[in-house]
Amino acid sequence: MTQKTVPQKSVRHAMIKDILAHEVIETQDDLANALRERHVEVTQATVSRDIKELMLIKIPIGDGRYRYGAPMKESVIFTRERVRRLFQDTVTDVNDSENIIVVKTLPGGANTVASVLDHASWDEVIGTVAGDDTILLVVKPKEAAKDVVRRIEELMQDEGEAELARGKSAGN
């Protein structure tokens, strides 16, 4: 029987990049299974964390299906224009309760949007958890939740709508 190993994160990340270059990986389970086939024992939480750390994105492959892929350039991924387009195309709803914000996305979009939110480095956001189409943001202090929701809603609007909304909130 072959021994299962838990390689260092950098080795596992290199394996994931190689897997994505040679196989169509549609789900976290697919990725976990591909790693296990290479004798790497991983949990769903580890795979989810690796996806976030590698900033993997969902790429449409037709018939409403998506696969994981690596971004070409980090600087291209997080331009304001690209972030705004991602939120307009992917985020369907945002709501809050106390210090929790729930962001709903199209199926398969939550990891990409959560990654952008993580890299936004908003001081009030102390963490995100992403599923397939839902993201939970934990905000501290809870009074900041409304402001974070407002920023997300602005990203969901086109530039003209966002300027109009800012003008109305300023009392113009």
Side-chain angles (χ1 to χ4, degrees):
M1 184 161 102
T2 307
Q3 178 80 20
K4 299 270 184 184
T5 61
V6 181
Q8 289 181 327
K9 185 191 316 188
S10 60
V11 173
R12 191 175 62 247
H13 283 188
M15 291 177 82
I16 290 170
K17 288 176 185 177
D18 184 64
I19 290 167
L20 294 178
H22 296 95
E23 297 179 39
V24 173
I25 301 295
E26 295 184 47
T27 66
Q28 290 184 12
D29 281 341
D30 291 346
L31 183 53
N33 289 334
L35 287 165
R36 288 183 190 116
E37 287 173 5
R38 288 159 179 80
H39 311 292
V40 176
E41 193 57 43
V42 291
T43 64
Q44 188 278 331
T46 299
V47 170
S48 179
R49 199 167 29 254
D50 287 342
I51 287 169
K52 278 182 118 171
E53 289 172 2
L54 290 168
M55 294 184 286
L56 300 182
I57 58 174
K58 288 279 195 150
I59 301 166
I61 58 174
D63 296 328
R65 295 173 46 215
Y66 292 82
R67 67 172 290 193
Y68 281 106
M72 294 303 287
K73 291 183 183 175
E74 186 175 327
S75 60
V76 172
I77 292 289
F78 296 116
T79 64
R80 182 148 181 87
E81 168 77 22
R82 188 126 188 208
V83 168
R84 185 176 295 283
R85 216 176 10 211
L86 171 70
F87 276 62
Q88 290 170 0
D89 293 346
T90 309
V91 177
T92 60
D93 190 37
V94 59
N95 210 330
D96 67 287
S97 177
E98 296 287 326
N99 71 322
I100 304 288
I101 297 172
V102 176
V103 178
K104 300 294 282 180
T105 71
L106 295 175
N111 273 306
T112 305
V113 172
S115 180
V116 169
L117 290 168
D118 286 340
H119 286 84
S121 299
W122 292 344
D123 292 336
E124 309 88 342
V125 177
I126 60 176
T128 63
V129 178
D132 182 56
D133 63 359
T134 304
I135 305 162
L136 295 179
L137 280 84
V138 180
V139 178
K140 183 178 180 181
K142 70 180 181 181
E143 294 79 21
K146 297 290 185 203
D147 184 53
V148 173
V149 167
R150 181 191 52 76
R151 282 186 259 167
I152 293 170
E153 288 173 339
E154 280 185 9
L155 289 169
M156 293 168 62
Q157 299 170 345
D158 69 34
E159 197 65 46
E161 289 175 340
E163 284 183 34
L164 183 62
R166 281 192 296 272
K168 285 181 181 177
S169 67
N172 293 343

